[in-house]
Amino acid sequence: VLASGDVHGDGPDDLVVADPAFGCHDPGRPDYGSGVVVLLPGSARGLTTSDSQLWTQDSPGVDGAERLGNLFGEALAMGPLDRGDTADLAIGAPGDGTGSVTVLLGGAKGLSTAGIGGTRYTQATPGIVGTAEAGDRFGDTVTTAPVQNQSQASLIIGVPGEDVGSVTDAGSVTQLSISRTGPDPRGSRTFTANTPGVKGKAGRFDHFGDSTHHWG
């Protein structure tokens, strides 16, 4: 899983590489990995290993705990999630219980848990609409887009296993609000195919908000 953006604010884009199957040594069960994320800095000569970084859910300052099956890094997205001048990183871990998304902030020294960096968002986070349930796969997809402000990106999260009423695995998409410090669950919005104004109708196993990639 790959994502790119100028984490350091020095001009060249940097590359983030995730291996959500990391930690699982059974080739028949890649969906059982704990997951890892690696930052490779960009430079005038291209990607470099100088000052590279490695992140897991056990890294200091990162909320949560590393466990097999979390799939940390199953989805990645980069964008200016706070009001700084650097790209920040959102990391989806859809196997983390009911699923989660962790944000790391960019800076001159790379990705960081400073400020709200290291924060883990789930459907149990106050302000996020919905109920955290096994199989929801919150964070199976993530993206950053300037849907509220052209200079700051909103964090948008796919929840393909979300039930809509009695409709199993119909799926939903959650948009977190923006703030000076980064994604703010307060004022978040959740959309399904049954949301008024959205064309279509929620169907069983539709997985609204899913990706085309699946492990296993």
Side-chain angles (χ1 to χ4, degrees):
V1 185
L2 307 174
S4 63
D6 186 4
V7 169
H8 297 85
D10 56 357
D13 274 5
D14 308 298
L15 180 70
V16 175
V17 184
D19 178 7
F22 177 83
C24 178
H25 303 294
D26 181 352
R29 288 296 308 275
D31 57 339
Y32 200 60
S34 55
V36 67
V37 172
V38 174
L39 172 70
L40 297 174
S43 72
R45 298 182 64 183
L47 295 173
T48 174
T49 59
S50 177
D51 298 319
S52 67
Q53 295 178 303
L54 182 148
W55 295 89
T56 73
Q57 284 181 299
D58 275 350
S59 295
V62 174
D63 291 345
E66 180 181 0
R67 295 185 181 90
L68 287 175
N70 280 1
L71 297 175
F72 185 72
E74 171 77 355
L76 299 173
M78 298 188 78
L81 294 172
D82 62 5
R83 294 184 186 167
D85 297 325
T86 59
D88 309 306
L89 176 67
I91 306 166
D96 182 7
T98 63
S100 69
V101 174
T102 298
V103 168
L104 297 173
L105 296 184
K109 295 184 178 181
L111 294 170
S112 168
T113 59
I116 68 159
T119 299
R120 174 176 172 266
Y121 301 93
T122 75
Q123 284 184 299
T125 301
I128 293 181
V129 177
T131 302
E133 299 168 314
D136 280 352
R137 295 179 15 231
F138 183 87
D140 189 76
T141 55
V142 291
T143 190
T144 57
V147 296
Q148 291 177 263
N149 185 309
Q150 287 300 305
S151 62
Q152 185 174 359
S154 297
L155 175 58
I156 303 171
I157 301 165
V159 196
E162 178 77 2
D163 295 344
V164 177
S166 62
V167 183
T168 303
D169 291 353
S172 67
V173 173
T174 293
Q175 172 214 320
L176 273 60
S177 188
I178 61 175
S179 74
R180 180 181 60 82
T181 56
D184 188 347
R186 296 171 298 179
S188 67
R189 307 181 70 193
T190 293
F191 301 88
T192 75
N194 280 0
T195 299
V198 175
K199 303 297 184 182
K201 181 180 180 180
R204 190 169 182 242
F205 304 130
D206 275 357
H207 301 300
F208 186 77
D210 200 0
S211 69
T212 57
H213 174 78
H214 296 278
W215 288 100

